[in-house]
């Protein structure tokens, strides 16, 4: 197939050339019915905000331009089947879980997964086995899943219905996914990958290998994160016949909008075209500038640049670690200069660079100089740093009940002194590092309670849907509960 073709974009362009008069939805009528206040700002996108018209195909039953565009994506990414997603990687994660779930088999999943994975497990009524991440000292954070933990979990649960992992992590770091895939496939267990941050790994060196290249069975990619696609534009790729493609298509029809966005779908067609025809050239041109970018950050008293490992880290992501400065305060100084980073934690700031380098380095250096002058060291440490050993969890751990059984139970709020051995009705996540201390469906231990009290005393932020986490927690009411010893 000719990767220079953009069949969906071309069909949209041809429709626009007809200067069509709309007697169909959407209500803005190709931008003619729209508030004057926003018309100039939105007009260019409104004129291509189509619906399923003659010549524009149908995402849920593609037969022409959308089908051809998805087949071009299949060829480029090396998939058996590729699908356009208009609801972000969230809808892809939900669909791949629902399509592969088997009620009589557990699912091995990494503990620090995206919330959409947790939602998918809950919707499916799954029985998860959670594998903990590891603390990586060179980058001073929890990130990648424990490969050892996944391999042990496979041995303990050889009849698992699926393994669900994140690759790479938010910061672009990868791990030995091939070892996991080979082990899983030896038991005929499909491997499902949330590769939201790795769509550009298809471009090859110096990026780490893509999950599809390594043999993953389903891969979901957020095209809008690193490729030039609109927000919410993503791909789902089926990589093998270990998964039932008809079930995948069924759940995508069920979970995706029946009115998919043509601007988003067209941008997915163009993003694939860009990577296939221009991506390698842009990457090669950008690499020297990325090196200059890293060097420009490396002479600071305020922060240190975290190391980059070829073949392990994404070169387009650069993270700085604060040296006795508050990352939130430093991030505000960047924003005052009109520079907006991707992620700010208590001690780190993440910059995500584009595949085609677009930064004026001289202006960038001058901004850094002004930030250096303005930045003030912390006089008082307002946020305690979590002792890394204190958030350690078992390599892998199974929930007390599967999510299907939990759906049948009522909940009650109890004080922490009464919570030991009860089943948590929601997650409890100290942040940073963002690794759940207690997972919904886990039986609460005395160690959980002691750790949580320590975090509260240290004023660590706790992510939870509880307003009074200091006093207690909602737990499930087990019909046969008589207390545990």
């Amino acid at each position: 197939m000719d990767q220079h073709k953009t069949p969906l974009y071309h069909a949209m362009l041809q429709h626009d050339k007809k200067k069509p008069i709309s007697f169909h939805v959407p209500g803005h009528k190709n931008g003619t019915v729209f508030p004057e206040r926003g018309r100039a700002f939105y007009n260019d996108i409104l004129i291509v905000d189509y619906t399923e018209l003659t010549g524009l195909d149908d995402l849920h039953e593609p037969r022409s331009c959308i089908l051809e565009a998805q087949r071009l994506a299949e060829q480029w990414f090396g998939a058996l089947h590729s699908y356009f997603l208009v609801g972000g990687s969230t809808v892809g994660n939900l669909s791949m879980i629902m399509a592969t779930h088997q009620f009589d088999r557990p699912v091995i999943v990494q503990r620090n997964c995206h919330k959409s994975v947790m939602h998918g497990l809950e919707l499916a009524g799954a029985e998860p086995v959670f594998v903990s991440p590891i603390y990586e000292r060179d980058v001073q954070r929890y990130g990648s899943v424990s490969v050892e933990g996944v391999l042990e979990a496979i041995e303990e649960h050889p009849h698992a219905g699926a393994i669900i992992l994140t690759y790479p992590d938010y910061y672009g770091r990868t791990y030995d996914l091939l070892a996991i895939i080979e082990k899983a496939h030896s038991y005929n267990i499909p491997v499902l990958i949330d590769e939201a941050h790795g769509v550009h790994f298809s471009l090859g060196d110096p990026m780490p290998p893509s999950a599809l290249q390594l043999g993953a069975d389903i891969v979901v990619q957020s095209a809008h994160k690193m490729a030039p696609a609109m927000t919410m534009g993503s791909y789902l790729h089926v990589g093998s016949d270990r998964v039932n493609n008809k079930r995948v298509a069924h759940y995508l029809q069920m979970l995706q909008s029946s009115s998919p966005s043509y601007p988003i779908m067209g941008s997915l067609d163009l993003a694939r075209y860009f990577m296939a025809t221009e991506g390698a050239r842009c990457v090669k041109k950008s690499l020297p500038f990325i090196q200059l970018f890293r060097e420009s950050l490396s002479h600071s008293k305020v922060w240190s640049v975290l190391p980059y490992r070829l073949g392990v880290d994404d070169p387009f992501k650069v993270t700085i670690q604060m040296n006795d400065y508050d990352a939130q305060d430093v991030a505000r100084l960047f924003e005052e200069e009109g520079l907006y980073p991707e992620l700010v934690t208590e001690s780190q700031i993440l910059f995500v660079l584009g595949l085609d380098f677009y930064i004026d380095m001289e202006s960038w250096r001058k901004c850094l100089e002004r930030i250096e002058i303005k930045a003030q060291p912390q006089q008082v440490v307002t946020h305690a740093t979590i002792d890394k050993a204190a958030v350690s969890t078992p390599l892998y751990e199974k929930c007390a009940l599967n999510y299907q059984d939990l759906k049948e139970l009522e909940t009650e709020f109890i004080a922490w002194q009464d919570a030991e051995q009860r089943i948590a009705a929601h997650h409890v996540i100290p942040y940073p590092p963002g690794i759940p201390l207690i997972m919904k469906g886990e039986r609460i231990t005395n160690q959980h309670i002691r750790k949580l009290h320590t975090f509260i005393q240290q004023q660590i932020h706790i992510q939870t849907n509880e307003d009074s986490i200091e006093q207690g927690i909602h737990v499930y009411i087990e019909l046969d509960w008589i207390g545990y010893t």
Side-chain angles (χ1 to χ4, degrees):
M1 300 180 74
D2 183 0
Q3 289 292 331
H4 288 82
K5 295 177 68 176
T6 51
L8 177 53
Y9 169 71
H10 179 75
M12 294 167 65
L13 199 62
Q14 292 303 110
H15 187 79
D16 178 62
K17 288 179 179 178
K18 298 175 184 177
K19 303 301 177 186
I21 297 175
S22 170
F23 289 97
H24 55 76
V25 298
H28 59 69
K29 305 299 180 183
N30 299 334
T32 60
V33 181
F34 204 73
E36 192 62 35
R37 176 178 294 184
R39 186 185 301 276
F41 193 74
Y42 276 92
N43 190 62
D44 287 349
I45 199 69
L46 293 174
I47 60 175
V48 294
D49 185 22
Y50 300 132
T51 187
E52 292 88 345
L53 303 174
T54 301
L56 293 180
D57 211 354
D58 181 346
L59 177 64
H60 296 297
E61 194 177 357
R63 295 183 177 181
S64 57
C65 57
I66 293 177
L67 178 62
E68 185 180 358
Q70 290 186 153
R71 285 180 172 170
L72 284 163
E74 289 167 6
Q75 183 188 61
W76 166 248
F77 289 104
L80 295 181
H81 308 279
S82 291
Y83 296 93
F84 286 178
L85 308 179
V86 294
S89 286
T90 289
V91 75
N93 287 339
L94 295 176
S95 297
M96 72 179 183
I97 292 169
M98 297 297 290
T100 57
H101 178 248
Q102 301 175 63
F103 282 106
D104 58 342
R105 296 188 177 186
V107 178
I108 298 171
V109 58
Q110 74 180 77
R111 196 177 183 95
N112 58 330
C113 59
H114 188 264
K115 62 183 179 181
S116 62
V117 172
M118 298 304 304
H119 294 161
L121 294 170
E122 188 167 349
L123 286 171
E127 181 183 338
V129 176
F130 293 112
V131 182
S132 295
I134 57 174
Y135 181 70
E136 300 174 85
R137 296 192 178 279
D138 63 330
V139 292
Q140 302 180 51
R141 63 175 180 260
Y142 285 89
S144 300
V145 70
S146 165
V147 175
E148 177 189 358
V150 177
L151 297 180
E152 287 191 19
I154 293 172
E155 290 286 351
E156 185 70 22
H157 304 279
H159 300 297
I163 297 173
I164 308 171
L165 304 173
T166 304
Y167 173 99
D169 68 11
Y170 205 108
Y171 298 84
R173 174 152 285 200
T174 63
Y175 51 90
D176 189 4
L177 179 60
L178 180 60
I180 293 173
I181 291 175
E182 289 179 341
K183 183 75 168 181
H185 286 175
S186 72
Y187 290 95
N188 202 34
I189 302 173
V191 179
L192 285 49
I193 300 297
D194 176 357
E195 197 176 45
H197 292 269
V199 67
H200 57 309
F201 288 4
S202 59
L203 294 170
D205 292 338
M207 264 69 72
S210 71
L212 274 172
Q213 177 187 342
L214 295 174
D217 301 284
I218 302 184
V219 177
V220 175
Q221 301 168 330
S222 292
H224 65 94
K225 284 187 166 61
M226 290 303 299
M230 290 182 64
T231 296
M232 297 205 308
S234 297
Y235 304 108
L236 182 148
H237 307 292
V238 177
S240 81
D241 57 7
R242 288 184 185 84
V243 296
N244 187 324
N245 183 57
K246 289 184 178 180
R247 284 177 59 85
V248 174
H250 167 74
Y251 281 105
L252 284 174
Q253 286 197 33
M254 182 183 293
L255 296 169
Q256 292 225 83
S257 171
S258 59
S259 301
S261 164
Y262 272 81
I264 292 176
M265 290 191 292
S267 75
L268 287 170
D269 194 19
L270 289 166
R272 182 272 313 157
Y273 158 80
F274 171 85
M275 288 189 289
T277 62
E278 303 178 38
R281 176 187 59 80
C282 288
V283 169
K284 184 177 181 180
K285 183 183 75 172
S286 296
L287 290 175
F289 290 100
I290 292 174
Q291 184 59 35
L292 290 175
F293 183 86
R294 294 182 66 88
E295 289 176 359
S296 71
L297 287 163
S298 64
H299 307 292
S300 172
K301 70 177 186 299
V302 179
W303 58 72
S304 302
V305 182
L306 294 187
Y308 162 74
R309 292 168 57 191
L310 179 65
V312 174
D313 294 313
D314 180 353
F316 289 89
K317 292 193 171 184
V318 180
T319 305
I320 55 177
Q321 171 78 34
M322 297 305 107
N323 301 325
D324 299 320
Y325 291 75
D326 185 273
Q328 299 287 342
D329 291 341
V330 175
R332 280 190 285 272
L333 295 178
F334 274 101
E335 291 181 359
E336 288 174 7
E337 296 287 344
L339 307 169
Y340 291 83
E342 165 65 18
L343 177 70
V344 183
T345 68
E346 185 181 72
S347 60
Q348 297 185 350
I349 299 176
L350 169 65
F351 300 95
V352 178
L353 307 180
L355 294 181
D356 197 355
F357 203 80
Y358 54 95
I359 298 169
D360 178 73
M361 288 302 299
E362 186 60 30
S363 297
W364 166 257
R365 290 190 182 96
K366 289 180 180 178
C367 287
L368 292 183
E369 290 173 3
R370 291 193 289 270
I371 290 169
E372 286 275 336
I373 293 171
K374 295 178 183 177
Q376 297 295 322
Q378 294 184 85
Q379 300 301 314
V380 178
V381 178
T382 56
H383 300 286
T385 300
I386 295 177
D387 178 2
K388 308 307 176 186
V391 292
S392 61
T393 55
L395 279 179
Y396 61 91
E397 193 164 16
K398 196 172 182 179
C399 282
L401 296 172
N402 63 47
Y403 286 128
Q404 185 64 35
D405 292 336
L406 294 179
K407 291 178 183 178
E408 308 301 321
L409 301 180
E410 299 293 329
T411 66
E412 63 178 341
F413 185 85
I414 62 173
W416 281 111
Q417 63 262 28
D418 301 319
E420 187 174 353
Q421 293 301 319
R422 299 296 299 273
I423 299 176
H426 57 81
H427 308 303
V428 177
I429 307 173
Y431 188 87
I435 311 304
L437 171 65
I438 304 172
M439 300 291 286
K440 179 178 181 177
E442 277 190 319
R443 203 169 288 285
I444 300 168
T445 67
N446 180 261
Q447 185 182 32
H448 286 147
I449 297 170
R450 287 190 288 106
K451 286 180 181 178
L452 180 66
H453 286 327
T454 299
F455 296 156
I456 292 172
Q457 291 170 4
Q458 294 177 337
Q459 297 184 309
I460 299 297
H461 174 63
I462 306 295
Q463 294 180 337
T464 179
N465 57 358
E466 283 293 344
D467 295 328
S468 53
I469 192 66
E470 296 87 355
Q471 282 74 47
I473 184 173
H474 273 93
V475 296
Y476 288 103
I477 302 173
E478 300 170 74
L479 299 180
D480 59 349
W481 172 259
I482 55 173
Y484 287 74
T485 56

